């Protein structure tokens, strides 16, 4: 198992960040990494997610929502073909800080026998995509 984890502090309450994250139809207008999400943010629903990190290849995934707790966490789990080849659980975690800001944690846990082969690309392109999305979400939520 390998985990890719990034975080950023956003100068707004968690409710504002959550609303931005859940407005899937607006992703093409602001998100440089997850270009499109179609589906419902409820547990057991299937999403259609198009991801394209800058400088990387794009791919369409059809993960299932595994966590959806308002203002706290949204997560999906996807796989390449059958389970065990290349699986990932993608999570957006929102934590309210004592100062009323939001700590946004963007992470994914990867499992499967292809992970060691793909890890160098994930560590560069996917990490860059996470960080670019985090910065864009910060700008969106802060009204910049």
């Amino acid at each position: 198992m390998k985990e890719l984890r990034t975080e950023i502090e956003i100068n707004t309450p968690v409710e504002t960040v959550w609303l931005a994250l859940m407005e899937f139809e607006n992703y093409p207008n602001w998100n440089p990494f997850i270009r499109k999400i179609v589906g419902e943010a409820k547990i057991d629903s299937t999403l259609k997610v198009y991801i394209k990190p800058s400088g990387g290849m794009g791919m369409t995934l059809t993960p299932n929502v595994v966590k959806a707790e308002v203002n706290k966490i949204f997560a999906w789990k996807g796989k390449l073909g059958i389970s065990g080849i290349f699986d990932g659980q993608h999570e957006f975690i929102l934590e309210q800080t004592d100062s009323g800001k939001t700590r946004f944690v963007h992470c994914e846990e990867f499992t499967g026998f292809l992970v060691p082969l793909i890890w160098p690309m994930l560590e560069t392109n996917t990490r860059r995509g996470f960080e670019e999305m985090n910065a864009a979400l910060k700008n969106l939520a802060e009204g910049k």
Side-chain angles (χ1 to χ4, degrees), residues 74-123:
F74 179 65
W76 65 70
K77 186 167 188 171
K79 61 187 177 210
L80 181 63
I82 59 172
S83 279
I85 296 173
F86 182 77
D87 304 336
Q89 182 160 314
H90 200 110
E91 296 188 346
F92 303 135
I93 302 165
L94 287 72
E95 301 169 348
Q96 188 78 51
T97 67
D98 291 339
S99 60
K101 298 176 183 179
T102 302
R103 179 178 301 106
F104 176 66
V105 179
H106 186 177
C107 57
E108 187 156 359
E109 188 175 280
F110 300 96
T111 57
F113 73 85
L114 284 182
V115 172
L117 297 173
I118 299 173
W119 184 249
M121 181 188 69
L122 297 171
E123 183 60 33

Side-chain angles (χ1 to χ4, degrees), residues 4-87:
L4 196 57
R5 183 181 180 91
T6 62
E7 61 182 72
I8 194 167
E9 188 172 274
I10 302 174
N11 299 315
T12 60
V14 294
E15 294 84 3
T16 302
V17 178
W18 180 261
L19 288 174
L21 282 173
M22 294 299 104
E23 194 176 3
F24 297 155
E25 63 277 1
N26 195 35
Y27 272 46
N29 298 320
W30 68 269
N31 198 323
F33 175 61
I34 301 174
R35 308 294 175 96
K36 186 175 185 180
I37 296 180
V38 176
E40 294 182 64
K42 64 180 189 177
I43 293 177
D44 292 329
S45 68
T46 300
L47 301 174
K48 186 173 183 180
V49 180
Y50 179 64
I51 295 175
K52 186 178 184 309
S54 62
M57 296 180 354
M59 68 171 73
T60 299
L61 310 167
T62 53
N64 293 319
V65 176
V66 293
K67 297 178 186 176
E69 191 173 339
V70 175
N71 298 327
K72 293 189 179 182
I73 188 168
F74 179 65
W76 65 70
K77 186 167 188 171
K79 61 187 177 210
L80 181 63
I82 59 172
S83 279
I85 296 173
F86 182 77
D87 304 336

